[in-house]
Amino acid sequence: MKIIKKIVSLIALISLISTSLLLFSSCASPYTEEEAREILAEVLAKDVELNQIIWGEGLSPENDPEEHINDSTFYYMEVSMLSKYTSLDELKEAVKETYAEELLDIVWQYAFGYDGIQTYHIPRYAQNKNGYLQVNVAKSTLKKFDLTSVAYIGESKIVRAKKDMIKIDILVSSDGENFRERTLELYLIDGIWKLDTQTWCIDFQY
């Protein structure tokens, strides 16, 4: 009888261990912390550039905008030919390759607007009849943000992850001394990792 009890106890213990291992493996992240940081760094490299273009200083116009800076309505001028993006399609494609659905909608409306949808907001960028990218230079119709934050990802930690999603905590600071925690969400869409959380950052560091 004692032998039977020992066998039953052993079976129960093995079953418990197996269940625990199964639960652990199902909850384990498919990415290491370093892998997640590398993915995040690739996305942030695009995000910090676009933050300046979309929300910050923006692309410089080809000609001096001084005459139209104080216009009471919007005024579009062609961007500098030295700009990384010189066509609206190029800039739109960069935005689509960087942001996931919810954040993409916010960025898109601010930067480009939607055809056929009336809004009080004036898109920051447009395209002239010759296909060149234009930027609005009239201050009264342009809301720019003073971006100063830097993302620190060297000690970032995965909060939750699946094959096509990573939620990760990072530190953000505007002065390199005072830090606050920020949780970012990344999604793998058609083979491209995209950000779905606004960072407002102009740079990132490990």
Side-chain angles (χ1 to χ4, degrees):
M1 191 69 175
K2 288 183 179 180
I3 295 176
I4 293 175
K5 286 183 177 180
K6 286 182 178 180
I7 292 173
V8 171
S9 297
L10 183 59
I11 292 172
L13 180 60
I14 293 172
S15 177
L16 180 61
I17 293 173
S18 298
T19 302
S20 298
L21 288 173
L22 182 61
L23 287 173
F24 177 78
S25 64
S26 65
C27 295
S29 169
Y31 304 99
T32 65
E33 302 286 3
E34 188 56 37
E35 287 172 337
R37 288 169 192 151
E38 289 176 1
I39 291 170
L40 177 59
E42 290 181 6
V43 179
L44 285 180
K46 297 184 288 184
D47 172 60
V48 297
E49 176 188 70
L50 288 174
N51 279 339
Q52 283 283 42
I53 292 173
I54 305 299
W55 308 103
E57 286 303 309
L59 295 174
S60 300
E62 176 71 10
N63 299 312
D64 187 353
E66 186 64 31
E67 183 181 348
H68 300 286
I69 283 179
N70 295 319
D71 284 7
S72 59
T73 186
F74 62 89
Y75 191 88
Y76 289 104
M77 299 183 69
E78 289 182 15
V79 303
S80 169
M81 294 306 295
L82 299 177
S83 297
K84 181 173 181 177
Y85 305 100
T86 55
S87 79
L88 190 62
D89 286 343
E90 288 175 342
L91 183 53
K92 283 183 174 180
E93 190 60 30
V95 168
K96 286 192 290 186
E97 289 187 356
T98 305
Y99 302 115
E101 186 174 353
E102 289 188 18
L103 183 51
L104 176 63
D105 186 62
I106 294 170
V107 174
W108 199 274
Q109 184 163 328
Y110 178 82
F112 315 120
Y114 287 100
D115 293 339
I117 298 179
Q118 188 172 3
T119 175
Y120 292 107
H121 169 72
I122 297 169
R124 188 161 195 183
Y125 293 96
Q127 181 173 278
N128 65 16
K129 61 182 181 180
N130 295 318
Y132 292 115
L133 180 63
Q134 295 179 305
V135 58
N136 178 25
V137 298
K139 286 185 177 179
S140 65
T141 60
L142 173 63
K143 186 177 181 181
K144 291 195 298 185
F145 296 82
D146 185 18
L147 305 180
T148 58
S149 294
V150 175
Y152 293 81
I153 67 173
E155 297 182 7
S156 57
K157 299 294 183 183
I158 296 173
V159 176
R160 187 163 60 91
K162 300 185 294 185
K163 279 292 185 182
D164 61 351
M165 185 278 291
I166 297 175
K167 183 180 286 189
I168 189 167
D169 282 344
I170 67 168
L171 294 177
V172 176
S173 176
S174 295
D175 57 13
E177 297 179 1
N178 300 294
F179 296 86
R180 62 188 185 278
E181 196 172 81
R182 191 77 191 276
T183 302
L184 304 182
E185 291 189 17
L186 305 168
Y187 292 92
L188 184 60
I189 303 171
D190 296 329
I192 301 174
W193 281 101
K194 300 182 181 184
L195 183 66
D196 208 25
T197 310
Q198 183 72 63
T199 68
W200 301 109
C201 289
I202 57 169
D203 200 1
F204 72 95
Q205 296 181 17
Y206 271 99

